Amino acid sequence: MEDAQVLQKKLYFLVEQLQNMAGELPPKYQMRLPYELLSSLANCLLNETVFEIVKGLLEIQHVTEQHLFQQRLQFINAKKQEEQELLKKYETNSDKKIEALQKFMIEQKQELKEFDMKLVLELDRKVTNQQDILEQAGVPGFYRTSNPLEIKVQMHLLDFLLRLSQMQMPV
C-alpha cells in the first residue's frame, strides 16, 4: 500500500498536468474545466484502473471505426460492380445507357447518404456507450450527453487521460 506522501505527490502531479493541458485549450473549453473538476479527476486517477478503462475504450473505438470503414468500402465496391453490370447491359444502346446511368447515379448518391447516416448513428451509439461506462466508473466530467460542445470537452478529457497514462508518475 502506498503511503500518504506518495499519493499526495501523485495527486499534485496529476492536478498540475491536468491544469497545464486544460490551459492549452481554447477559452471556450477552458471555462468548462474548472479547478474542482480537474482536481476530482486527478483524485480519481490515483486508481490506475481508469487508465485501463480508457485504453480499452480506445481499442474498441479503433476496431469499430475500422469495421465501419470496411463496411463503407464494401458498399462502394458493390455499387461499382452494379454500375459495371449496368454498363454491360446497355453497351449497344447509348441512349438507354445514359438514361440508366443517370438514374443509377442519383439512386447511388441517396443510398450512400443513407448508409453514411447509419454509420454516423453507430458512432453516436459508441459515444453514448463510452459516456455511460466512464460515468459508471465514477470518472468526473463524463455523463451521457448529445451536446456537441460537451462531447468535445469530454474528448479533450479523454485526450488528457491518454496522455497522462503515458507519463511516468512520481514515486
Side-chain angles (χ1 to χ4, degrees):
M1 189 153 218
E2 298 181 271
D3 65 352
Q5 272 190 318
V6 172
L7 284 176
Q8 192 69 25
K9 264 188 188 176
K10 278 186 179 181
L11 183 61
Y12 286 151
F13 174 79
L14 290 167
V15 170
E16 180 183 356
Q17 293 303 316
L18 286 168
Q19 284 182 302
N20 291 341
M21 291 175 193
E24 297 168 359
L25 298 177
K28 71 178 182 177
Y29 301 119
Q30 284 183 27
M31 61 190 285
R32 294 186 171 268
L33 298 171
Y35 177 81
E36 295 77 26
L37 173 62
L38 298 177
S39 179
S40 296
L41 186 57
N43 200 41
C44 178
L45 295 176
L46 291 174
N47 174 353
E48 300 208 357
T49 305
V50 173
F51 290 129
E52 297 308 313
I53 292 170
V54 170
K55 287 177 186 174
L57 290 175
L58 184 63
E59 286 178 35
I60 292 168
Q61 181 176 333
H62 284 154
V63 168
T64 300
E65 288 172 356
Q66 187 65 32
H67 178 71
L68 294 177
F69 180 71
Q70 289 301 320
Q71 282 184 337
R72 190 172 195 277
L73 285 180
Q74 288 172 351
F75 179 85
I76 290 170
N77 286 333
K79 290 298 168 187
K80 284 181 182 175
Q81 193 71 33
E82 284 180 43
E83 183 179 354
Q84 291 304 314
E85 291 169 14
L86 188 70
L87 291 172
K88 280 183 186 173
K89 183 177 177 182
Y90 296 109
E91 67 185 342
T92 57
N93 186 339
S94 61
D95 289 342
K96 279 274 194 195
K97 184 193 307 187
I98 291 170
E99 182 183 320
L101 200 53
Q102 286 175 336
K103 182 180 178 204
F104 176 79
M105 295 298 212
I106 291 168
E107 289 173 2
Q108 180 185 14
K109 185 177 180 181
Q110 183 59 36
E111 288 175 20
L112 183 59
K113 184 178 178 181
E114 289 170 10
F115 189 83
D116 285 343
M117 288 301 292
K118 284 196 299 190
L119 296 181
V120 168
L121 288 174
E122 180 64 29
L123 289 172
D124 286 348
R125 278 193 291 277
K126 284 291 176 193
V127 167
T128 300
N129 186 37
Q130 289 176 348
Q131 291 169 337
D132 289 345
I133 289 170
L134 291 166
E135 182 178 29
Q136 289 169 6
V139 183
F142 290 93
Y143 49 89
R144 186 182 284 205
T145 181
S146 58
N147 178 315
L149 183 61
E150 292 172 8
I151 290 173
K152 189 70 174 167
V153 169
Q154 290 180 349
M155 288 170 63
H156 285 300
L157 289 174
L158 278 173
D159 175 58
F160 295 172
L161 296 177
L162 286 170
R163 287 163 54 191
L164 284 170
S165 73
Q166 296 166 353
M167 291 182 183
Q168 185 66 43
M169 294 290 157
V171 286

